[in-house]
């Protein structure tokens, strides 16, 4: 993984939450502080996060994590972009500590927060059924505004809004790319069928990311070449282990009847990968 994915993110302008959120969690999520109090809390959070960044640079990763936790406690819970940055930085710390599972957990929280700001594409989400809805949303975002010249002030405001929207999207997508890189690396290190498959999905999402740094592109391309074989080997190993445990359990059940699993022949179907069972006396 490139060095860019290991550097904690700096402060950025906080992005608004999705106004369409619903549910009990979102009811609490929408309880905003007064503007002045929110600004003070965010300032405190940024100051603490800056301390944590310095601890990260000093390679004091455990202390940095504790400091990032304090930054989270100070940050209003509805500021998704700021929360996502902190969790991304925590994931970077866990990577340095080689605590792969914790890195996956922190990166996942960060990605979930970013998805509240800009929903992932069907490729990133792996949900083709919602592709039309997301495409319609993107078309709305990318809509061309015709300038008539009748109301210059209103048009300037609209242009400014669109520019801010584009900047916000760029920031979110850039951070999402970093977090996906971190999560994919952690899943690869965990190994096993499920984790490797998850890493492949993250790398596949990254392959379609715009403006991915060159070093990260090389990591992604190499991973997509190497992971299929590793996934196949992990799947076969886990299936073999599972069959071994089932055989051991079966022998325990059958032994009182003078039988064993050797009386049952399992033959794998090369077409489906499943198994057929034949009894042999």
């Amino acid at each position: 993984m490139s060095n860019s994915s290991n550097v904690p993110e700096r402060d950025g302008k906080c992005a608004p939450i999705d106004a369409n959120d619903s549910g009990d969690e979102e009811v609490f999520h929408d309880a905003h502080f007064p503007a002045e109090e929110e600004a003070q809390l965010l300032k405190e959070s940024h100051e603490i996060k800056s301390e944590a960044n310095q601890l990260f640079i000093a390679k004091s990763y455990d202390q940095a994590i504790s400091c990032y936790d304090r930054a989270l406690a100070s940050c209003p819970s509805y500021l998704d972009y700021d929360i996502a940055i902190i969790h991304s930085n925590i994931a970077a710390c866990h990577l340095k500590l080689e605590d792969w599972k914790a890195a996956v957990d922190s990166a996942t929280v960060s990605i979930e927060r970013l998805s509240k700001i800009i929903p992932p594409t069907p490729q990133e989400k792996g949900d083709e059924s919602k592709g039309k809805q997301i495409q319609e949303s993107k078309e709305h975002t990318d809509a061309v505004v015709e300038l008539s010249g009748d109301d210059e002030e209103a048009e300037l405001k609209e242009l400014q809004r669109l520019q801010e929207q584009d900047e916000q999207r760029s920031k979110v997508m850039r951070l999402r790319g970093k977090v996906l890189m971190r999560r994919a690396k952690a899943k690869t290190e965990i190994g096993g069928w499920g984790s490797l498959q998850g890493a492949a999905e993250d790398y596949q999402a990254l392959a379609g990311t715009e403006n991915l740094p060159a070093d990260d592109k090389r990591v992604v391309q190499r991973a997509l070449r190497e992971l299929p074989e590793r996934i196949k080997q992990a799947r076969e190993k886990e299936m073999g282990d599972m069959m071994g445990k089932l055989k051991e359990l079966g022998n325990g059940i059958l032994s009182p009847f003078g039988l064993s699993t050797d009386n049952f022949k399992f033959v794998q179907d090369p077409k489906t990968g499943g198994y057929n069972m034949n009894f042999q006396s």
Side-chain angles (χ1 to χ4, degrees):
M1 183 171 59
S2 68
N3 292 334
S4 63
S5 298
N6 283 323
V7 179
E9 279 70 46
R10 303 295 180 181
D11 295 345
K13 182 178 178 181
C14 59
I17 63 171
D18 184 355
N20 293 324
D21 284 346
S22 61
D24 293 339
E25 180 181 351
E26 281 68 32
V27 170
F28 176 78
H29 195 70
D30 286 340
H32 290 202
F33 289 100
E36 185 176 345
E37 186 175 356
E38 177 187 300
Q40 180 60 34
L41 288 170
L42 189 58
K43 179 183 177 183
E44 291 176 3
S45 179
H46 284 174
E47 289 174 352
I48 298 171
K49 179 158 66 69
S50 294
E51 294 177 21
N53 289 347
Q54 293 304 312
L55 289 168
F56 181 94
I57 293 171
K59 300 183 179 180
S60 299
Y61 304 119
D62 285 318
Q63 295 179 48
I65 291 172
S66 297
C67 205
Y68 284 129
D69 284 338
R70 287 169 47 215
L72 280 173
S74 295
C75 186
S77 63
Y78 52 83
L79 297 181
D80 294 308
Y81 184 75
D82 294 273
I83 297 291
I85 286 179
I86 297 172
H87 278 290
S88 174
N89 291 353
I90 292 174
C93 291
H94 286 307
L95 283 178
K96 291 295 187 180
L97 293 169
E98 298 186 358
D99 188 345
W100 311 122
K101 184 180 183 304
V104 169
D105 292 342
S106 295
T108 298
V109 173
S110 180
I111 291 169
E112 289 172 349
R113 286 298 187 135
L114 292 174
S115 295
K116 288 178 175 287
I117 306 169
I118 298 178
T121 64
Q123 181 184 17
E124 292 172 324
K125 197 170 184 179
D127 187 353
E128 297 296 336
S129 65
K130 296 186 179 179
K132 182 178 179 181
Q133 178 182 349
I134 295 173
Q135 179 63 27
E136 289 174 353
S137 175
K138 185 177 186 301
E139 288 173 355
H140 177 73
T141 301
D142 296 340
V144 176
V145 177
E146 183 177 352
L147 303 179
S148 64
D150 296 335
D151 190 340
E152 184 176 348
E153 183 178 354
E155 290 172 354
L156 286 174
K157 287 183 178 179
E158 178 64 11
L159 286 173
Q160 183 179 4
R161 184 189 70 80
L162 291 173
Q163 183 179 4
E164 290 175 352
Q165 192 176 59
D166 287 342
E167 290 174 354
Q168 178 197 77
R169 179 177 178 81
S170 296
K171 288 195 307 180
V172 170
M173 297 307 293
R174 184 165 56 249
L175 179 57
R176 180 177 284 162
K178 286 185 177 182
V179 183
L180 281 171
M181 287 292 294
R182 290 168 182 169
R183 189 171 72 172
K185 175 177 174 56
K187 287 181 176 181
T188 302
E189 294 292 344
I190 290 173
W193 181 10
S195 292
L196 291 174
Q197 184 63 48
E201 291 170 1
D202 283 347
Y203 282 126
Q204 191 63 53
L206 283 161
T209 300
E210 299 177 2
N211 301 322
L212 193 67
D215 288 344
D216 288 350
K217 281 185 179 179
R218 284 191 286 272
V219 172
V220 170
Q221 291 168 355
R222 183 173 67 250
L224 290 176
R225 289 194 304 268
E226 297 175 354
L227 278 173
E229 181 60 28
R230 290 188 61 185
I231 292 171
K232 178 183 176 182
Q233 293 175 359
R235 181 176 64 247
E236 291 175 351
K237 181 180 184 302
E238 290 185 22
M239 290 293 292
D241 291 344
M242 181 183 69
M243 293 301 296
K245 291 179 181 178
L246 288 174
K247 183 175 181 179
E248 182 179 349
L249 176 63
N251 284 334
I253 296 173
L254 294 171
S255 59
F257 304 98
L259 298 173
S260 74
T261 54
D262 292 334
N263 296 112
F264 301 88
K265 182 71 173 179
F266 289 90
V267 180
Q268 186 175 22
D269 187 335
K271 294 182 179 179
T272 65
Y275 288 84
N276 297 320
M277 182 179 69
N278 298 319
F279 178 76
Q280 295 178 338
S281 59

